[in-house]
Structures are given as structure tokens and as C-alpha cells.
Amino acid sequence: NRPHVLYLMVSDNESRWSEEEALYCINNYLSPGVWWIEDEAARWGVELCFGGSYYLGTGDGYCHYDGILNDCDAGGNGDILEKVTVSMGFANKEEFYRMTQNWTGSEDVVIVVVPNKPGRSYAFMDGVNDEYDYMEHCVVFGQSKYVAGGVYPACPATTAHEILHCFGAEDYYYQDS
């Protein structure tokens, strides 16, 4: 069973993804981060091939949170994944995660929540029902707004960095950076 990455392209009352923007971001910024992880695994003699898909939501075709998301919503009562999945009609994020596991046929699903706005990206692991079953997800914000009101997507390195946290990698920064 190969791991699966699900890009959850999230809109809110302040910013919205068009399908064209979402696909551009996935193909040019998010997926290259995953491909880099696969290439690095191969370099170390490990066969790793992620499945991948994206979800733009229901109704009008977009995953929409009726409110405003920001990077202060990390964890606890402000959990972005919980807010978004409940707004999509699920009882909670655990129900969404189980549905995603069934739909993808993979027990190892990493949900990458991607708001169309700048902010600080992070990874988060939640226990699901017991301490040995985890729901890994990360939130990848864009880098900054540009003049036309859109957002520069996060670079592929940010995507790889946050996904690797979901697999247990710790932060490692060089002293000079």
C-alpha cells in the first residue's frame, strides 16, 4: 500500500482558488516537493512512490470555509483541518480522514491543506481512536501576496519540508542560514 498525498485546496471568505490557479499551484509548486522526496528516497536505495490527488470541494466546486483562516489557527480549537472538514459537511476531521483512506485505498494518507493566502506553514499529527493510528496533515500557506491580489504559492521545498514532518522528520537548520 503506497502512501497517498491529498491536496485540499481551501478557499475562505477572504481568498478563493480558481481551478486554474489550484492546478497551477499543484503542478508547479506542491507536486515537485513530493517528487523531490521520491527522488531522494531513490538516491538512498528506497523505493517510494506516492499516490496523489486533489480535492476542490463540493457544491460550487470548491472546498470553502465560511470564515477567515490564518496561520494563528494552528492546532487546538483553531485547527484548520477540523474547521474546513466540518464546513464541508463531515462530522469532524477524523471522519474525513477515514473517508480519504477508503477512497484512496491507502492507510498512509497525508492531507496537505492549502489556503490561497500567505502565512506560516506547519505540520500536525493527531491520534485517531488510539495512540498507534495517526492522522498526518500539514498546512502549506503561500509566501506572499502579489499586486493583482493573488498569492505566490509556497516553494516545493516548503511542501517537502512539511510532508517530511508528517513522516517524523525533525527540523534541521544550518547555523548559518
Side-chain angles (χ1 to χ4, degrees), residues 119-142:
R120 184 180 173 109
S121 300
Y122 64 91
F124 200 79
M125 287 178 56
D126 282 329
V128 179
N129 295 331
D130 63 54
E131 62 187 77
Y132 300 108
D133 191 10
Y134 291 99
M135 174 179 56
E136 294 90 3
H137 70 279
C138 56
V139 179
V140 177
F141 281 93

Side-chain angles (χ1 to χ4, degrees), residues 29-85:
Y29 293 94
L30 300 172
S31 292
V34 173
W35 301 332
W36 179 85
I37 295 170
E38 292 172 340
D39 291 345
E40 285 299 298
R43 192 168 71 97
W44 288 93
V46 175
E47 185 177 335
L48 177 62
C49 181
F50 286 95
S53 57
Y54 66 92
Y55 189 71
L56 294 176
T58 59
D60 65 357
Y62 296 96
C63 177
H64 184 80
Y65 170 67
D66 190 20
I68 297 175
L69 299 171
N70 61 58
D71 57 2
C72 296
D73 289 330
N77 293 330
D79 187 348
I80 288 177
L81 184 58
E82 181 77 12
K83 287 180 174 184
V84 170
T85 54

Side-chain angles (χ1 to χ4, degrees), residues 78-153:
D79 187 348
I80 288 177
L81 184 58
E82 181 77 12
K83 287 180 174 184
V84 170
T85 54
V86 168
S87 73
M88 292 167 60
F90 293 91
N92 52 44
K93 63 187 173 188
E94 289 83 5
E95 181 183 59
F96 177 77
Y97 185 73
R98 293 290 186 220
M99 182 276 307
T100 303
Q101 286 178 311
N102 290 334
W103 171 65
T104 62
S106 177
E107 291 181 18
D108 299 317
V109 174
V110 174
I111 299 171
V112 181
V113 180
V114 188
N116 190 9
K117 56 177 44 182
R120 184 180 173 109
S121 300
Y122 64 91
F124 200 79
M125 287 178 56
D126 282 329
V128 179
N129 295 331
D130 63 54
E131 62 187 77
Y132 300 108
D133 191 10
Y134 291 99
M135 174 179 56
E136 294 90 3
H137 70 279
C138 56
V139 179
V140 177
F141 281 93
Q143 295 180 37
S144 61
K145 289 194 177 226
Y146 54 80
V147 178
V151 173
Y152 289 113

